[in-house]
């Protein structure tokens, strides 16, 4: 079913049936969760909208948690190696508008996995907005950035390194995100920055080499 929804043009009537079935508490939790799983596998803009609606409007906690889990899954890199950046605007909107402590971590990870430039910039801005350990949104954004793999995120991360001291919070966040990506594009951006930095970058250079687990990086 998920594959069918991914491959065929969106069917509004079918999606409305899904919404009604999931919202109907007389249907079993198992069946409703299975349908949410199909929507997560489909990973289209339309199926993501249904998942977001369920996660933000239904009071049934089991179903809500299932939808939250599928939001994270929907953003995963597919077998074709494609990052589906068309999902990012809806996720970014939820990140800006929601204060749900259960929902925000999955949305942040989804934004990071999709890796669209606007989404990455939003996470970086959120991560740098506060240094307080009590600021959940900032901490969630920081952790989510470790999930970034999309090479399209490299230019925006590189921009954050321009004229930044290696020991500053901005540089540490952007450079560690590049280091975690593990591909040649990210490696070259990181190397270019380190080569132009002053000697305070030496500990970072050491750490990134030691932590590297990817031959390309």
């Amino acid at each position: 079913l998920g594959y069918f929804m991914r491959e065929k043009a969106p069917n509004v009537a079918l999606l409305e049936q899904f919404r009604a079935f999931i919202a109907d508490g007389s249907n079993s939790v198992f069946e409703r969760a299975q349908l949410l799983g199909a929507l997560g596998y489909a990973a289209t803009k339309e199926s993501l909208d249904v998942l977001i609606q369920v996660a933000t409007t239904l009071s049934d906690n089991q179903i809500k948690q299932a939808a939250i889990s599928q939001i994270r899954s929907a953003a995963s890199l597919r077998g074709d190696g494609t990052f589906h950046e068309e999902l990012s605007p809806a996720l970014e909107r939820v990140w800006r508008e929601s204060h749900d402590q259960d929902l925000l971590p999955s949305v942040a990870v989804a934004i990071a996995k999709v890796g669209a430039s606007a989404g990455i910039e939003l996470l970086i801005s959120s991560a740098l907005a506060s240094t307080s350990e009590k600021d959940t949104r900032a901490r969630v954004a920081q952790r989510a950035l470790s999930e970034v793999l999309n090479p399209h995120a490299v230019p925006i991360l590189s921009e954050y390194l321009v004229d930044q001291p290696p020991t500053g919070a901005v540089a540490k966040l952007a450079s560690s995100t590049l280091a975690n990506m593990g591909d040649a594009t990210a490696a070259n951006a990181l190397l270019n920055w380190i080569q132009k930095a002053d000697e305070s970058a030496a500990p970072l250079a050491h750490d990134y080499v030691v932590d590297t687990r990817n031959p390309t990086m």
Side-chain angles (χ1 to χ4, degrees):
L1 179 58
Y3 179 81
F4 171 82
M5 287 188 287
R6 180 184 294 181
E7 296 299 315
K8 302 295 182 180
N11 185 315
V12 176
L14 182 62
L15 288 174
E16 286 305 316
Q17 288 182 332
F18 290 173
R19 292 178 197 270
F21 187 92
I22 294 167
D24 187 348
S26 66
N27 295 317
S28 73
V29 170
F30 175 78
E31 289 176 325
R32 295 155 78 197
Q34 288 287 92
L35 191 51
L36 288 168
L39 290 165
Y41 182 83
T44 64
K45 291 170 61 177
E46 293 76 18
S47 67
L48 179 63
D49 285 343
V50 177
L51 293 172
I52 289 172
Q53 182 188 40
V54 172
T56 55
T57 63
L58 292 194
S59 58
D60 186 320
N61 191 58
Q62 285 182 284
I63 298 303
K64 175 183 174 180
Q65 293 302 324
I68 289 174
S69 176
Q70 291 303 324
I71 288 172
R72 182 189 298 239
S73 297
S76 298
L77 182 63
R78 296 183 188 171
D80 61 1
T82 303
F83 295 91
H84 288 269
E85 297 184 25
E86 71 275 7
L87 302 180
S88 196
L91 295 166
E92 294 166 30
R93 184 177 65 253
V94 176
W95 177 259
R96 291 190 184 95
E97 297 176 357
S98 177
H99 299 282
D100 189 323
Q101 302 299 305
D102 292 327
L103 178 59
L104 288 176
S106 282
V107 171
V109 168
I111 291 172
K113 286 186 173 183
V114 168
S117 296
I120 299 306
E121 186 161 13
L122 181 61
L123 288 181
I124 292 175
S125 298
S126 299
L128 296 172
S130 173
T131 58
S132 172
E133 290 297 326
K134 296 181 179 179
D135 190 318
T136 302
R137 188 179 291 269
R139 302 290 79 76
V140 164
Q142 287 178 8
R143 288 193 293 270
L145 285 165
S146 66
E147 302 283 348
V148 177
L149 293 175
N150 189 344
H152 289 172
V154 171
I156 191 68
L157 291 166
S158 298
E159 287 179 17
Y160 273 94
L161 291 175
V162 175
D163 298 327
Q164 289 295 323
T167 55
V170 176
K172 285 183 177 180
L173 182 63
S175 62
S176 64
T177 302
L178 286 169
N180 284 331
M181 290 178 68
D183 75 341
T185 306
N188 287 329
L190 186 60
L191 185 60
N192 288 338
W193 172 68
I194 290 176
Q195 288 175 326
K196 297 173 184 176
D198 60 32
E199 65 274 10
S200 65
L204 288 178
H206 172 272
D207 290 346
Y208 293 151
V209 171
V210 170
D211 291 342
T212 293
R213 297 293 181 269
N214 182 298
T216 300
M217 192 68 178

